[in-house]
């Protein structure tokens, strides 16, 4: 409980996570301080900070808890039973279209595991928000990220046939400068689309008066003739199959995106989480090869 309070910086937040009264948390930490004969935390109405003793104690507590988790994992593996709760953060579109059916199958196969799924395209703080893992789709991980690659997805450039009839079809990435584009706004950076051909990468700035942090919205905007968009295949494929959109710039390949399971740093991976990651990796790899 002390470790959770130190990580979240709030007695109330820990009480909410554990489903107990705030007084239970404060009494536990106070009892620990009384046992040790020293203050571990300095509290005020606005913030909570660790003392020097608290900082040193926190580091050793994390080591102890990791050892306990590892011991429990070894026992669980011997019995080959995954059990306990997994809180997982999922990207909205990919989570609903590709991961939801897999997670339902996993729940059926692992009746001793409970799943708490949070669907959002925002980047979650695994430690502060109490997640066991999150699934993230990105071209590259940050240096501080700890994770495992589960699979890949392709990016495709698409537009509606009627829009192409009115405005013409770009023949090369540089031609996008003359077209209205529909850009993803989740990265909070000026929209730049990358393409490669013959080993050469070309980064193309695009202009857009219609942006969104969700690919499904951008694909629908493209269907309505508002412009060209660059989207993952799991969003665009149904629209390409029924002819509502056409694929563009097929000679120029955008970089593949990786599908990653991100984990809290410096923590032992519980057996139940490892079983889920192995399951998702196997299913996503099989789906990709079909």
């Amino acid at each position: 409980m002390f470790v959770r309070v130190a990580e979240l910086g709030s007695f109330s937040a820990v009480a909410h996570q554990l489903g107990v009264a705030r007084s239970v948390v404060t009494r536990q930490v106070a009892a620990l301080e009384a046992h040790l004969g020293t203050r571990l935390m300095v509290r005020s109405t606005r913030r909570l900070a660790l003392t020097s003793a608290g900082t040193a104690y926190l580091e050793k507590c994390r080591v102890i808890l990791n050892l306990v988790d590892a011991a429990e994992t070894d026992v669980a593996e011997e019995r080959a039973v995954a059990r306990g709760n997994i809180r997982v953060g999922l990207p909205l579109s990919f989570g609903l279209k590709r991961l939801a059916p897999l997670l339902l199958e996993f729940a059926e196969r692992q009746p001793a595991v409970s799943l708490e799924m949070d669907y959002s395209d925002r980047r979650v703080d695994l430690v502060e928000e109490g997640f066991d893992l999150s699934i993230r789709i990105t071209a590259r991980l940050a240096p501080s990220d700890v994770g495992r690659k589960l699979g890949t997805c392709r990016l495709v450039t698409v537009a509606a046939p009627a829009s192409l009839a009115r405005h013409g079809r770009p023949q090369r990435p540089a031609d996008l400068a003359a077209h209205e584009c529909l850009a993803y706004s989740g990265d909070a950076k000026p929209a730049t689309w990358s393409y490669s051909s013959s080993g050469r990468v070309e980064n193309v700035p695009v202009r857009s008066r219609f942006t969104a942090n969700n690919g499904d919205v951008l694909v629908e905007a493209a269907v309505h003739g508002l412009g060209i968009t660059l989207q993952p295949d799991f969003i665009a494929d149904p629209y390409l199959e029924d002819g509502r959109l056409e694929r563009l710039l097929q000679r120029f390949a955008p970089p593949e995106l990786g599908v990653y399971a991100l984990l809290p740093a410096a923590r032992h991976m519980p057996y139940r989480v490892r079983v889920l990651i192995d399951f998702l990796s196997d299913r996503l790899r099989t789906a990709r090869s079909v």
Side-chain angles (χ1 to χ4, degrees):
M1 196 168 285
F2 163 71
V3 170
R4 289 204 179 196
V5 172
E7 290 178 341
L8 296 182
S10 166
F11 291 100
S12 298
V14 173
H16 178 72
Q17 270 195 10
L18 299 180
V20 300
R22 184 181 186 277
S23 58
V24 173
V25 181
T26 56
R27 280 200 304 269
Q28 289 281 352
V29 174
L32 179 61
E33 290 178 322
H35 169 73
L36 296 172
T38 187
R39 295 289 296 275
L40 299 174
M41 299 177 175
V42 178
R43 310 160 183 80
S44 71
T45 56
R46 299 187 61 184
R47 61 187 298 271
L48 182 151
L50 294 176
T51 63
S52 58
T55 300
Y57 190 65
L58 174 64
E59 181 179 348
K60 292 179 174 61
C61 283
R62 283 173 167 158
V63 173
I64 292 168
L65 292 175
N66 276 336
L67 288 172
V68 171
D69 209 358
E72 292 180 349
T73 294
D74 290 341
V75 172
E77 287 179 332
E78 286 180 5
R79 293 178 299 164
V81 175
R83 63 179 68 250
N85 183 67
I86 302 176
R87 187 171 190 223
V88 55
L90 302 162
L92 186 57
S93 295
F94 187 76
L96 293 173
K97 296 175 187 296
R98 294 284 174 87
L99 295 179
L102 301 183
L103 292 170
L104 293 175
E105 181 185 350
F106 179 80
E108 292 174 348
R109 288 171 170 263
Q110 302 292 342
V113 174
S114 58
L115 289 175
E116 182 181 350
M117 297 167 283
D118 184 289
Y119 287 85
S120 172
D121 286 335
R122 68 185 180 88
R123 185 182 176 94
V124 301
D125 188 309
L126 296 172
V127 173
E128 288 195 3
E129 299 181 57
F131 284 93
D132 294 289
L133 76 157
S134 69
I135 307 300
R136 182 167 173 82
I137 299 176
T138 182
R140 64 185 64 85
L141 294 179
S144 59
D145 285 334
V146 176
R148 173 177 162 185
K149 191 172 184 178
L150 304 179
T152 60
C153 64
R154 296 174 295 109
L155 287 169
V156 292
T157 311
V158 296
S163 176
L164 296 173
R166 287 195 306 270
H167 304 292
R169 180 185 296 266
Q171 300 301 316
R172 56 186 60 82
D175 295 343
L176 292 171
H179 291 264
E180 190 70 46
C181 295
L182 306 166
Y184 183 77
S185 60
D187 295 329
K189 298 176 183 177
T192 301
W193 295 352
S194 298
Y195 296 88
S196 62
S197 178
S198 303
R200 177 175 169 269
V201 177
E202 183 177 0
N203 297 314
V204 183
V206 296
R207 57 183 175 87
S208 178
R209 67 180 182 87
F210 188 97
T211 63
N213 64 349
N214 179 265
D216 288 291
V217 174
L218 296 173
V219 166
E220 285 293 337
V223 170
H224 283 76
L226 294 181
I228 298 170
T229 190
L230 179 68
Q231 293 300 322
D233 53 7
F234 61 85
I235 294 178
D237 279 352
Y239 296 83
L240 293 170
E241 290 170 3
D242 64 18
R244 283 179 289 172
L245 293 177
E246 292 184 16
R247 187 172 175 182
L248 311 175
L249 302 174
Q250 296 192 49
R251 293 187 298 110
F252 304 89
E256 281 193 332
L257 299 178
V259 182
Y260 296 91
L262 299 188
L263 300 161
R267 283 193 180 176
H268 180 79
M269 186 192 303
Y271 179 61
R272 61 186 179 275
V273 174
R274 187 190 312 170
V275 169
L276 174 59
I277 290 175
D278 287 345
F279 173 82
L280 292 177
S281 177
D282 179 68
R283 286 296 185 273
L284 291 174
R285 184 173 60 252
T286 300
R288 185 67 173 166
S289 63
V290 171

